[in-house]
Amino acid sequence: MISNILKEKIDSEQYEKLKRIDNPELHEFIAKYIELCNPAKVFVCTDDEEDIRYIREVTVKNGEEIQLAAPNHTIHFDNYFDQARDKQNTKILLPEGIKLDKAINTAPRKESLDEIHEIMKDIMNGKEVYIRFFCLGPTNSEFSQPVMQMTDSAYVAHSEDLLYRQGFEEFVRQGRNARFFKIVHSAGELDERNTSKNLGRRRVYIDLEENIVYSANTQYGGNTIGLKKLSMRLAINRGYKEGWLTEHMLVMGVHGPNNRVTYFTGAFPSLCGKTSTSMLDNETVVGDDIAYLRKKDGRVRAVNVEKGIFGIIMGVNSEDDPIIWDALHSPAEIIFSNILMTPEGGVHWIGKDGEIPEKGVNHCGEWYKGKKDESGNEIPVSHRNARFTIDLKNFDNLDPTLNDPKGVEVGGMVYGGRDSDTWVPIKEAFGWAHGIIAYGASLESETTAATLGKEGVRKFNPMSNLDFLSIPIRDYINLNLDFAKGLEKEPSIFAVNYFLKDKNGNFLNSREDKKVWYKWAELRANRDVDAIDAPTGRIPKYEDLKKLFKEVLNKDFAKEDYNEQFKIRVKENIAKIDRIEEIYRTQVMDAPQVLFDVLEEQRKRLLSAREKYGDYINPEEFKKT
Ligand code: SPV
Ligand code: MN
């Protein structure tokens, strides 16, 4: 029976909705956190448009979002110091006796649960809590993962509407069988700008034992949108036990000859072009951030866990990102966050077309050109991590398979990071283990360099998933390696590098060149073209790229450019192997031997090439061998 607390605290209309879900565990959980967090009001959100509209309207009424001049467009601000994922205070709670690598932030389970329950006591005082039900992945599918979220932020609840598939009816359908994730979030006390005030008590705690995530005293989406990076950590743990993958990956359809569509997944660390890759204008988008991958009938199949985009807005302009640009200027429902709102109710961000307005309101409050922060640094027109939230249904390039319960068959997987001097623009692995180890598990990304030409600091980020790992790195890599077992057809694995620079620090490629790389990868995944066996993988032949550059971009691809971009940089590649081996030896618990073997083979290939051709090798040398 539904507990008495629920009956007491929830008015009868809301209570009747909850009663439709036959799941005592769910009711008990909700009762427990209503009692602890002590909200003034409870709203249960079903999949009905009326309920969803209620939340949308509250966001503006309670000031968490401001209506802009354009209909359906609103803006939300997070606290000036709450603009990104809080890695330091995001912790996996460890039961006694379990260990994770140093690179994964953890805390002892029992003490941390006590702490978070203390922080959350009465935290929703005077506020309304929204109880929401969603489904990660398509509904009615092997991939479906139901999630229940309680939050006192209408902004969070509204964002989730744009980003996730409604799941109330899925909960009703699954009843007592639902193996759901539970997220409890409170923005905590708000200041006069309606942003979280008690950032010193900001916490994101992940309890793998009970599949619960607690998030407190924060509003930034990456810390609060329970179905995004919070559920991702629970899903990685669940997938590990069951043999499927949760990846920080886009999913896209790459369109080849004769109407062939080959699906690709792609992993990139944040701010490395993942969203703009998923939105390439010749292709179709399935998802831009998180994918579940499962094996079915000897093939790898993937789904987009989400159905919307929480994308970085910095640098979006009409020329480089025409599709996103058009969507942002359409009447679609959009939440902008942490950009500039002009006095006329317009918006501006770093890198947008047109003049920067003189003044307005942004993530720092009242803003004017030249305004400085407390440390004397000029505050830009928008935060570098400022975002837009929008449902994918607003994109003409949306792939028709988005909600297919079977997902899409994966033909290729791509790994890429910010790398100024080592990897060629695109290469294909010799096979599954080589790709997983030498590309995925060796992924690094550079922080942007302050001085021209100077190298950034490289950050190790296996599969771009390090921030979200809830299992030992060793287990995660083994899970990836073993994933190929029993496959009839392995996806081809590629590595891309959009950020290669010349000696003077200028990029060697233009942003649109990536359109060509994916067309080539599509041909390779179907074995339509040959490639050159270089020591670090298979690279494109000049003739194939020349043809594609002409077809795709109407550009003449010069031989000198090819030679420069695709030359094998032996010294840098060996230095990278040294770095990666050292990390796996010293910072990762019991890294699998196969990892060292694959890297050693690659080193040997590089060394023997160096003997013949020197440190920088023209790609066509390998054509002759
Ligand atoms: C990322 O940082 O990888 C994002 C945004 O996709 S967040 O929701 O903050 O994780
Ligand atoms: Mn992401």
Side-chain angles (χ1 to χ4, degrees):
M1 259 330 282
I2 298 175
S3 92
N4 290 334
I5 299 168
L6 280 186
K7 271 195 192 154
E8 272 169 35
K9 291 264 188 177
I10 307 184
D11 75 35
S12 60
E13 194 188 336
Q14 306 305 321
Y15 177 74
E16 286 305 314
K17 295 189 216 169
L18 261 194
K19 249 175 61 179
R20 283 194 53 216
I21 303 174
D22 173 28
N23 189 317
E25 183 200 338
L26 172 81
H27 296 143
E28 254 167 54
F29 184 84
I30 292 173
K32 178 174 170 187
Y33 285 93
I34 287 179
E35 195 166 32
L36 180 79
C37 304
N38 197 19
K41 234 172 127 189
V42 179
F43 182 76
V44 176
C45 191
T46 66
D47 301 347
D48 288 351
E49 179 48 36
E50 202 185 317
D51 283 1
I52 294 165
R53 191 177 333 118
Y54 172 80
I55 287 179
R56 196 185 303 136
E57 286 170 2
V58 171
T59 61
V60 176
K61 275 194 208 132
N62 77 7
E64 279 189 272
E65 291 175 27
I66 302 165
Q67 179 65 51
L68 293 164
N72 302 320
H73 292 192
T74 55
I75 187 163
H76 163 82
F77 296 111
D78 298 306
N79 187 301
Y80 189 66
F81 300 101
D82 189 27
Q83 295 284 320
R85 280 188 273 114
D86 179 359
K87 294 194 198 184
Q88 210 183 338
N89 287 302
T90 300
K91 296 178 183 173
I92 309 280
L93 305 189
L94 278 188
E96 254 173 79
I98 305 250
K99 260 184 92 178
L100 287 176
D101 305 271
K102 280 194 291 257
I104 302 173
N105 206 5
T106 61
R109 179 167 185 268
K110 191 170 169 322
E111 288 91 311
S112 309
L113 285 177
D114 290 348
E115 184 200 1
I116 193 72
H117 283 82
E118 200 271 311
I119 287 177
M120 288 195 138
K121 185 154 173 35
D122 296 324
I123 197 169
M124 296 181 183
N125 215 334
K127 296 210 240 172
E128 181 169 23
V129 66
Y130 310 97
I131 303 180
R132 302 223 51 172
F133 303 88
F134 293 101
C135 182
L136 295 173
T139 50
N140 255 312
S141 147
E142 199 185 343
F143 290 97
S144 305
Q145 171 59 59
V147 183
M148 189 278 299
Q149 161 118 43
M150 299 172 73
T151 176
D152 63 7
S153 165
Y155 157 70
V156 169
H158 179 204
S159 301
E160 288 172 341
D161 246 347
L162 303 182
L163 296 173
Y164 301 97
R165 296 157 179 107
Q166 300 298 335
F168 185 85
E169 294 305 326
E170 186 76 18
F171 268 79
V172 172
R173 197 172 66 79
Q174 294 195 17
R176 293 174 188 235
N177 297 328
R179 296 165 62 238
F180 58 99
F181 295 159
K182 312 174 218 20
I183 319 285
V184 191
H185 164 253
S186 172
E189 212 182 317
L190 302 180
D191 59 18
E192 63 293 346
R193 302 187 65 217
N194 291 307
T195 71
S196 292
K197 195 170 169 182
N198 299 322
L199 298 182
R201 281 157 75 81
R202 175 169 57 193
R203 300 287 182 275
V204 179
Y205 283 179
I206 297 117
D207 181 16
L208 302 174
E209 295 227 325
E210 305 260 358
N211 282 309
I212 303 172
V213 182
Y214 304 91
S215 163
N217 295 309
T218 171
Q219 276 166 315
Y220 169 68
N223 298 322
T224 61
I225 298 173
L227 288 93
K228 206 171 189 56
K229 299 308 190 327
L230 311 190
S231 292
M232 189 170 173
R233 294 157 173 119
L234 300 177
I236 288 175
N237 181 52
R238 176 164 283 179
Y240 175 63
K241 292 180 184 148
E242 299 174 0
W244 49 272
L245 299 174
T246 301
E247 295 299 318
H248 193 201
M249 282 177 163
L250 63 84
V251 185
M252 68 195 281
V254 181
H255 294 242
N258 305 317
N259 297 324
R260 180 176 65 201
V261 185
T262 308
Y263 288 93
F264 280 73
T265 62
F268 300 78
S270 310
L271 264 168
C272 288
K274 184 144 62 79
T275 299
S276 49
T277 302
S278 73
M279 285 285 166
L280 284 180
D281 52 8
N282 298 317
E283 319 301 357
T284 44
V285 58
V286 183
D288 86 319
D289 198 28
I290 310 172
Y292 291 160
L293 279 71
R294 284 176 181 265
K295 284 185 281 193
K296 195 95 194 140
D297 304 323
R299 308 289 164 112
V300 175
R301 301 197 71 92
V303 295
N304 180 7
V305 165
E306 315 179 280
K307 61 126 176 141
I309 292 188
F310 177 58
I312 289 179
I313 200 163
M314 180 174 70
V316 171
N317 64 66
S318 59
E319 203 182 309
D320 294 323
D321 299 287
I323 296 176
I324 298 176
W325 179 264
D326 286 349
L328 294 183
H329 290 82
S330 75
E333 194 175 343
I334 301 171
I335 312 171
F336 294 93
S337 53
N338 304 318
I339 62 173
L340 186 81
M341 173 173 71
T342 66
E344 300 77 37
V347 287
H348 204 88
W349 57 83
I350 303 173
K352 186 186 176 187
D353 301 25
E355 286 281 301
I356 299 179
E358 291 300 319
K359 63 178 186 349
V361 174
N362 72 4
H363 56 297
C364 79
E366 293 291 335
W367 178 89
Y368 47 87
K369 258 189 194 166
K371 184 175 178 181
K372 299 209 162 72
D373 66 13
E374 280 167 14
S375 343
N377 299 319
E378 197 166 321
I379 302 171
V381 65
S382 61
H383 193 272
R384 288 171 58 77
N385 193 35
R387 302 215 167 220
F388 60 94
T389 306
I390 187 171
D391 192 315
L392 274 165
K393 71 179 180 204
N394 298 299
F395 290 87
D396 293 339
N397 61 327
L398 177 60
D399 194 273
T401 63
L402 173 67
N403 292 315
D404 190 334
K406 296 190 303 300
V408 295
E409 182 182 335
V410 179
M413 290 168 53
V414 178
Y415 295 100
R418 205 172 270 272
D419 164 12
S420 58
D421 63 5
T422 309
W423 282 359
V424 294
I426 183 159
K427 57 188 173 181
E428 183 194 357
F430 298 120
W432 185 265
H434 180 237
I436 293 295
I437 301 299
Y439 302 171
S442 301
L443 207 58
E444 295 172 295
S445 200
E446 290 161 13
T447 52
T448 33
T451 337
L452 198 72
K454 201 176 160 209
E455 282 181 4
V457 182
R458 289 188 173 89
K459 290 240 161 51
F460 166 68
N461 194 348
M463 283 77 167
S464 83
N465 220 352
L466 183 64
D467 286 354
F468 315 112
L469 289 187
S470 51
I471 56 176
I473 297 172
R474 161 202 66 213
D475 293 347
Y476 174 64
I477 288 174
N478 280 329
L479 176 67
N480 268 272
L481 285 169
D482 292 347
F483 198 65
K485 283 189 187 149
L487 284 180
E488 240 167 62
K489 191 162 181 269
E490 291 170 4
S492 306
I493 301 183
F494 299 88
V496 290
N497 181 10
Y498 308 152
F499 300 96
L500 202 54
K501 289 182 177 173
D502 66 15
K503 285 194 295 293
N504 304 318
N506 301 315
F507 286 115
L508 281 174
N509 291 101
S510 75
R511 279 180 65 161
E512 61 183 5
D513 292 357
K514 55 169 105 56
K515 295 183 192 174
V516 172
W517 310 151
Y518 288 88
K519 292 295 191 204
W520 180 78
E522 200 276 339
L523 296 176
R524 276 302 299 164
N526 293 286
R527 295 293 176 257
D528 281 6
V529 287
D530 290 334
I532 301 173
D533 278 8
T536 48
R538 301 190 169 121
I539 58 176
K541 286 159 70 180
Y542 172 67
E543 306 82 82
D544 294 325
L545 288 184
K546 184 176 155 67
K547 190 160 166 265
L548 286 172
F549 263 92
K550 195 74 200 166
E551 276 169 24
V552 180
L553 302 175
N554 195 23
K555 263 194 187 169
D556 294 314
F557 187 47
K559 189 69 180 282
E560 303 83 74
D561 288 339
Y562 170 78
N563 288 345
E564 180 62 14
Q565 292 169 19
F566 286 89
K567 80 177 171 208
I568 299 301
R569 297 150 175 87
V570 176
K571 191 164 145 246
E572 285 80 0
N573 273 285
I574 289 189
K576 180 181 173 76
I577 294 175
D578 292 344
R579 274 196 310 277
I580 299 296
E581 277 180 348
E582 173 73 7
I583 290 170
Y584 279 101
R585 245 196 316 268
T586 59
Q587 294 175 36
V588 174
M589 303 182 307
D590 315 318
Q593 183 55 40
V594 50
L595 181 138
F596 297 106
D597 295 346
V598 169
L599 293 177
E600 184 54 29
E601 283 160 21
Q602 179 136 319
R603 177 189 280 112
K604 280 192 186 136
R605 285 192 298 268
L606 283 159
L607 288 174
S608 84
R610 175 157 75 184
E611 260 174 42
K612 271 199 198 145
Y613 310 109
D615 252 329
Y616 296 93
I617 311 174
N618 186 311
E620 299 210 327
E621 297 290 0
F622 301 105
K623 220 171 159 182
K624 301 172 199 156
T625 54

